[in-house]
Amino acid sequence: MKKKLLIWSIAGLFATSLNAQTTAKSTGSTSFGLRAGVNFNTFNGKDGSGNDLDNNISTGFHAGVVADIPVAPEFYVQPGLLYSMKGAEYKNGSQTKLSYIEIPLNLVYKPVLGTGNLLLGFGPYVGFGIDGKTESTNGFETDVEFGNDDVVRDPAKDYLKRSDAGANLLAGYEFTNKVSVQLNAQLGLANINPDNSGQAKRKNTGFGVSLGYRF
């Protein structure tokens, strides 16, 4: 049900963005910008026994480009292309670091507030894993292998699905010089564990702070 809702949300926002260029003539033009910041992520889900995961926060960063496409007065569709680091630190001190190419597609409300604009938004995202490592407390590293194989080939490695998906929430403020500060939250809806993991489930979840500049 969650995956169907995510698919319909993406389809709805894409349909809205297709009409954005016509709307832009009366509400303003499309603009582009840069965004970068810090991620604070962990894994939510279940272990192999069906118990809730209890992990610590892992820090990383995100950076990339976004576009503001006007669809109505004060409303914008905001697609993006980001490099984003996620993962988790475990109770034993080891940690997993994952790198994704991420495509968010948010609907952003930008009313005038003071001399700038308030930023409020939500929308889906999809991500594609490109690299990952699990580091033990003694500094030994093993590569994360992305795929969706039903047979785990090497028990010493960590296998995860390459695709990720979930929902974004954002709030922030854009100043008159087009610099913005933003608080981001992400709720992972896709289980990134392989299909043969039994009861074990992992979902990327976290929040972050970023700075942006719109050209």
Side-chain angles (χ1 to χ4, degrees), residues 27-110:
T27 59
S29 60
T30 298
S31 61
F32 297 89
L34 302 175
R35 181 157 296 280
V38 182
N39 291 340
F40 304 95
N41 284 91
T42 190
F43 296 137
N44 284 338
K46 306 283 186 181
D47 61 21
S49 301
N51 300 313
D52 289 341
L53 295 179
D54 184 18
N55 299 318
N56 296 324
I57 294 293
S58 174
T59 58
F61 72 92
H62 62 272
V65 295
V66 296
D68 280 3
I69 306 173
V71 294
E74 298 183 338
F75 284 90
Y76 296 78
V77 168
Q78 190 181 81
L81 182 65
L82 305 174
Y83 172 84
S84 186
M85 292 182 64
K86 301 184 179 184
E89 182 177 320
Y90 307 110
K91 293 298 183 180
N92 64 3
S94 62
Q95 60 180 336
T96 295
K97 293 280 191 178
L98 305 175
S99 298
Y100 286 88
I101 296 298
E102 196 167 278
I103 304 172
L105 186 63
N106 298 316
L107 179 64
V108 181
Y109 176 49
K110 298 174 63 172

Side-chain angles (χ1 to χ4, degrees), residues 188-212:
L189 300 178
N191 176 23
I192 61 174
N193 270 5
D195 291 337
N196 64 338
S197 300
Q199 297 185 71
K201 298 181 184 298
R202 274 185 283 185
K203 298 178 181 180
N204 286 308
T205 300
F207 65 96
V209 180
S210 62
L211 292 174

Side-chain angles (χ1 to χ4, degrees), residues 85 90 93-99 131-145 154-158:
M85 292 182 64
Y90 307 110
S94 62
Q95 60 180 336
T96 295
K97 293 280 191 178
L98 305 175
S99 298
D131 190 31
K133 292 183 182 296
T134 295
E135 182 178 336
S136 64
T137 53
N138 61 8
F140 182 74
E141 291 185 349
T142 57
D143 291 334
V144 172
E145 186 163 333
D154 184 351
K157 287 187 176 181
D158 197 2

